[in-house]
Amino acid sequence: MKNRKFLWGSATAAYQCEGAWKEGGKGLSNWDVFCHSDKNNVNPVTGDVACDHYHRYEEDIKRMAEGGQNAYRFSIAWTRIIPDGTGERDREGIDFYNRLINACLKYGIEPLVTLYHYDLPKTLFEMGGWENRDTTEAYVRYAKVCFEEFGDRVNYWATINEPNYETLCCYGYGNYPPNVKSLERRWKAMYHMMLASAKAVALYRGMGYQGMIGLVSDCYSIDFMEDAEEYRKAAGFADLFFNISVNDVCVRGAYPEEYRDKLMEEGYDLSYMRKEDEEIFKAGCVDYLGVNAYCRYLAKPCTEKGISLTANNTGDGKKKKLFIEGWFALDEDKGLEKTPWGMEIYPKSIYDLLLDLKKRYPNMPVIITENGVGNYDSVSEDGEVHDQYRIEYLQGYVDWIEKAMDAGCDVRGYFVWSAMDVYSWINGYKKRYGLVYVDFDDQGLRRIPKDSYYWYKNTIREKGEKFDGKVQ
Ligand code: BG6
């Protein structure tokens, strides 16, 4: 399948926007349970209603098309397709996604469908989630149902969203369910996600489909403030930790030696890595790498003992803290602007990242599956949302992507996170990323396209032809 059109779109994920948590035959997910538990104590809100995209998908998709977008990335809730994770497929859930996909096609929007974006059926979660190898089998069965039901109309699939970031939150920061701090458990969960993804890729090809299937990886350009040997070494470990441990596996089809060596050297149990899996990884290389790009990371040598991982989920301006003895610590460039959640604003990072990816994986097409900035937005007296800071951020990224494409990087698409304001995981609803404002205090969940929505429409108009011409 060869699409000569550059994909210009925006993205969401099921739990963050659909709502209707107990409607349409849906089963419960780990996030439904977590958000209703007392562990949800930072911003104790839920995705029960969210943007009510479940009922309003058509108006939301129409608005994307009116904004000049030609693609929409969304995820399927596993719990709508197979409510208990492993049992029978549910017609009502399948019909919902049929309606959603058909609405995309009706408005000239190419769907890019993520099979798994953080929300795992409760039943599987209770049996150990991704730490349990059986989850990979359940996932493949679920993926097969999705390919059978939607494969005739969906040309772009993403197997799993962010194996690195999700497991870092679940088992590192400990702020996502199951809320534990254990890197040992993290490595294992991440391994099973990669295995599940590889199996799904091979299955998809084996079923004879011609579309593109990839994995969505949160990727970071890694930099350092001091040009010294120990800083370069720390940057190498940060690269291994955040990027290579995922990207090598799905692009090259094998775990890098340095990764196994490092984990073994530190005494981690790797008995779950089976010899026979090597063939599965080899057969499961992706057609494209989905890149979620938000910021760069600065690495420095870790001089402290132990491990400390602290996220900022309150938007109080504090930076997140991360150091791992024997690996690296995160550094800070005090001269750069940050969001209230401590994220550095540095658009050139996407250029550095794309060039790094091209160097390591020369023939791998990239789709920027997420790029965006979260902040406190509000409706002005004129009834509009003036998010100039977001326009500047996105403009910077698009300009640097263009430069990377001019330098030969094979980029096939760009998706803004997010299509509209959505539930921002444990950050709640105040951290907004959308091109469209959602008034969560309004019963009708009124939508207001922000200035950035109109900026995006113009950008697509201005750059569309040139970007189409660059599609390799
Ligand atoms: C990505 C996720 O990591 O970042 C999205 O794929 C998420 O689901 C986005 O919403 C922004 O992160 P957050 O935590 O600020 O909402």
Side-chain angles (χ1 to χ4, degrees), residues 16-284:
Q16 295 181 269
C17 69
E18 284 180 7
W21 72 304
K22 280 185 170 171
E23 249 182 275
K26 183 182 162 297
L28 292 185
S29 76
N30 55 342
W31 275 88
D32 291 316
V33 175
F34 165 74
C35 284
H36 282 270
S37 78
D38 53 15
K39 285 187 179 168
N40 182 16
N41 51 19
V42 184
N43 293 292
V45 288
T46 72
D48 294 1
V49 179
C51 318
D52 197 27
H53 188 58
Y54 182 80
H55 296 108
R56 287 150 178 263
Y57 63 90
E58 178 145 5
E59 65 164 284
D60 290 331
I61 290 167
K62 183 164 175 265
R63 199 175 294 105
M64 290 171 205
E66 286 166 355
Q69 299 171 43
N70 64 14
Y72 174 34
R73 174 178 174 234
F74 59 88
S75 78
I76 293 181
W78 185 337
T79 47
R80 290 197 191 281
I81 304 295
I82 302 178
D84 65 357
T86 52
E88 293 307 307
R89 67 181 80 184
D90 186 77
R91 268 315 347 146
E92 230 181 312
I94 290 168
D95 285 347
F96 165 63
Y97 290 108
N98 273 327
R99 291 197 296 278
L100 198 153
I101 291 165
N102 292 343
C104 287
L105 302 181
K106 173 173 161 192
Y107 292 103
I109 299 269
E110 183 81 51
L112 189 158
V113 177
T114 311
L115 288 165
Y116 172 80
H117 193 129
Y118 298 180
D119 51 337
L120 193 67
K122 170 182 181 279
T123 42
L124 295 171
F125 178 75
E126 285 170 351
M127 290 190 298
W130 289 106
E131 290 174 73
N132 183 343
R133 193 178 167 103
D134 292 347
T135 298
T136 69
E137 284 311 317
Y139 170 84
V140 173
R141 207 176 143 258
Y142 152 66
K144 184 163 185 275
V145 173
C146 293
F147 298 150
E148 283 167 358
E149 298 286 350
F150 314 122
D152 57 335
R153 286 154 293 152
V154 174
N155 295 314
Y156 293 88
W157 293 92
T159 54
I160 294 202
N161 183 71
E162 301 185 337
N164 167 66
Y165 190 69
E166 192 198 345
T167 57
L168 188 58
C169 290
C170 297
Y171 302 99
Y173 297 121
N175 53 0
Y176 289 7
N179 309 94
V180 293
K181 283 181 177 275
S182 159
L183 286 187
E184 180 145 64
R185 290 173 64 177
R186 173 194 193 232
W187 304 129
K188 190 176 187 183
M190 202 158 119
Y191 180 85
H192 288 142
M193 282 181 171
M194 298 309 296
L195 190 66
S197 172
K199 286 182 183 179
V201 169
L203 170 75
Y204 181 70
R205 294 220 184 91
M207 289 170 80
Y209 291 109
Q210 300 300 307
M212 290 181 90
I213 185 160
L215 175 142
V216 170
S217 171
D218 50 302
C219 298
Y220 311 86
S221 73
I222 310 286
D223 227 331
F224 39 88
M225 302 284 282
E226 273 181 44
D227 193 10
E229 181 52 30
E230 64 275 24
Y231 274 72
R232 272 194 293 276
K233 209 170 157 202
F237 284 134
D239 201 17
L240 187 62
F241 188 89
F242 291 119
N243 297 320
I244 295 174
S245 54
V246 170
N247 300 345
D248 264 29
V249 188
C250 65
V251 176
R252 292 181 169 167
Y255 267 89
E257 284 295 318
E258 46 190 315
Y259 175 83
R260 285 175 200 253
D261 291 351
K262 179 79 179 149
L263 264 48
M264 247 150 51
E265 187 190 301
E266 303 207 338
Y268 287 111
D269 169 28
L270 300 180
S271 54
Y272 51 84
M273 288 188 168
R274 298 186 190 164
K275 183 84 190 129
E276 69 256 32
D277 295 346
E278 288 174 15
E279 289 307 311
I280 300 174
F281 286 121
K282 235 184 257 166

Side-chain angles (χ1 to χ4, degrees), residues 13 16 73 117-118 161-162 165 176 218 292 294 313 370 417 422-427 431 433:
Q16 295 181 269
R73 174 178 174 234
H117 193 129
Y118 298 180
N161 183 71
E162 301 185 337
Y165 190 69
Y176 289 7
D218 50 302
N292 286 358
Y294 287 90
N313 295 116
E370 287 181 30
W417 183 268
V422 296
Y423 168 67
S424 173
W425 305 110
I426 50 171
N427 304 306
K431 188 180 188 184
Y433 285 84

